[in-house]
Amino acid sequence: MPSRVNAIEAAPGGPDSAGAAPSGVASASTPDSDRLQAFIERYGADQAATMHAATVVLGDRLGLYAALAAHGPCPPEDLAEATGCHPRLLREWLNAQVASGYTEHDPAGGTYWLTPEQAACLADAASPNYLIGGMLAASSNHKDVDALARAFTSDGGLGWGGHHPDLYVGTQRLFGPVYRANLVPNWIPALEGMQARLESGARVVDVGCGHGEALIRLAEAYPASRFAGFDNHVASIEAARTAAAEAGVSDRVTFEVATAEDFPGRDYDLVCVFNALHEWGDPVGAARHIRRTLAPSGTWMFTEPRADDDPAESVRARTFYSVSTMVCTPSALAQGAEAALGAQAGQAKLEQVAGQAGFTRFRRAAQTPMFMVLEARP
């Protein structure tokens, strides 16, 4: 039987046919040795990071990062006593963290600890730099591979509610620190006249509210205003109601099941959409409905991932094209989208959506390294 390489060489349309690889690109049968080694090393690093990710999710679930931050430098046996975990497994887990730069280690003393920076990212849920939720959301993608394979070979659709539950919890824990660090201190003041309106009493809606994290932050900051959150995912609405009650803002925040095309109400001062527009099957139709619900002087604020004009190697692009493949674009296709926006739609395409919906003013009001805050007005 011929080898796979020989079969490729002999196949019509292979490297020696009119469909040959572009000039400067090695053919499949003759890889450049230096470029091959570079790719192998990159793949190996990605494989190691993917394997390490599971230890991060495990460490979070068992409270290991928090315990390590609270205890200070200690041997595995002390961490085992504090957490009720097996000391031999803890030693292996700790060494995995050292190998990835997630903990510090003194080989002579046999102790392990977190630096203040590591603790802020891995152990302190109140920190604006807390990152654990992202790894939990990433972990959910691997659990959804079978469902995505079915989507790829059928109509392309997988609705938001069809994913592993880790996605919803991970998303809330990932975006919560972003909202705490930016929403009230930076994003609201960047909107024209909005801070004063919220302080005096405004009507606010969050469409695609998820677990309600952003709306609860706004309700805490602006008690004179009234807030309503809508999402088509029943479990998320239930979680949002619980979170609002725990935060003590249920007197001014409500959460109901509704879609972006049919959520109720009129004359809202502010409609918010946080990283959800690109997941909707009819973003222009949803934007039209948002415009109809706004007061004449109202504002639509929505956040979307920052994007380059074309795919380029970067952490941001790798993250968002991957999550768009696994979550965002299948969600839009499940809602009947003909040409889903995807998580890397970019500002120009989003401005086009707003214009088609009847908004006449559009600008980027603020941004973070990963997200842009867009303001549209009638």
Side-chain angles (χ1 to χ4, degrees), residues 133-372:
M135 205 69 87
L136 186 61
S139 175
S140 74
N141 287 341
H142 294 274
K143 297 167 184 174
D144 287 335
V145 166
D146 287 346
L148 262 300
R150 290 191 292 272
F152 265 73
T153 55
S154 57
D155 62 2
L158 178 63
W160 176 258
H163 292 273
H164 190 278
D166 281 355
L167 176 64
Y168 317 126
V169 177
T171 298
Q172 185 270 329
R173 294 178 66 192
L174 171 64
F175 285 106
V178 177
Y179 299 145
R180 287 195 295 273
N182 294 285
L183 181 54
V184 173
N186 302 316
W187 297 351
I188 293 299
L191 303 177
E192 184 180 338
M194 188 51 61
Q195 183 168 344
R197 294 174 72 172
L198 288 167
E199 289 171 345
S200 62
R203 298 180 67 226
V204 182
V205 164
D206 181 2
V207 186
C209 64
H211 287 201
E213 183 74 31
L215 211 58
I216 291 169
R217 300 285 81 79
L218 289 173
E220 290 174 333
Y222 304 107
S225 293
R226 293 297 177 264
F227 306 87
F230 300 104
D231 201 292
N232 66 357
H233 187 227
V234 175
S236 289
I237 289 296
E238 292 171 349
R241 290 170 178 165
T242 299
E246 292 174 349
V249 295
S250 294
D251 61 324
R252 51 190 180 272
V253 181
T254 61
F255 292 101
E256 302 294 338
V257 176
T259 72
E261 292 84 12
D262 67 9
F263 69 90
R266 287 291 187 273
D267 293 324
Y268 292 117
D269 298 289
L270 177 64
V271 174
C272 305
V273 177
F274 296 103
N275 290 290
L277 179 70
H278 62 265
E279 296 190 14
W280 294 343
D282 182 8
V284 173
R288 287 195 184 107
H289 183 61
I290 287 170
R291 189 182 183 281
R292 286 193 296 268
T293 67
L294 276 173
S297 60
T299 295
W300 176 28
M301 175 182 73
F302 62 109
T303 63
E304 283 285 319
R306 293 175 64 177
D308 300 308
D309 291 337
D310 294 299
E313 286 191 22
S314 70
V315 171
R316 185 181 70 224
R318 292 182 74 193
T319 298
F320 287 124
Y321 272 114
S322 294
V323 75
S324 190
T325 300
M326 302 297 286
V327 179
C328 310
T329 302
S331 174
L333 293 174
Q335 299 168 60
E338 295 182 0
L341 284 173
Q344 290 286 271
Q347 182 170 332
K349 191 173 292 185
L350 296 166
E351 183 173 7
Q352 184 179 22
V353 169
Q356 289 174 336
F359 288 91
T360 62
R361 288 171 286 175
F362 181 94
R363 70 185 180 102
R364 185 185 300 199
Q367 65 184 25
T368 72
M370 299 291 275
F371 301 103
M372 50 188 171

Side-chain angles (χ1 to χ4, degrees), residues 52 54-60 62-65 68 79 87-99 103 112 114:
H52 173 68
T55 75
V56 177
V57 173
L58 180 66
D60 172 62
L62 298 176
L64 302 183
Y65 294 115
L68 197 59
L79 188 61
R88 181 63 187 89
L89 290 178
L90 276 179
R91 181 178 298 278
E92 214 69 9
W93 180 85
L94 285 164
N95 285 334
Q97 306 312 299
V98 172
T103 69
Y112 302 80
L114 296 179

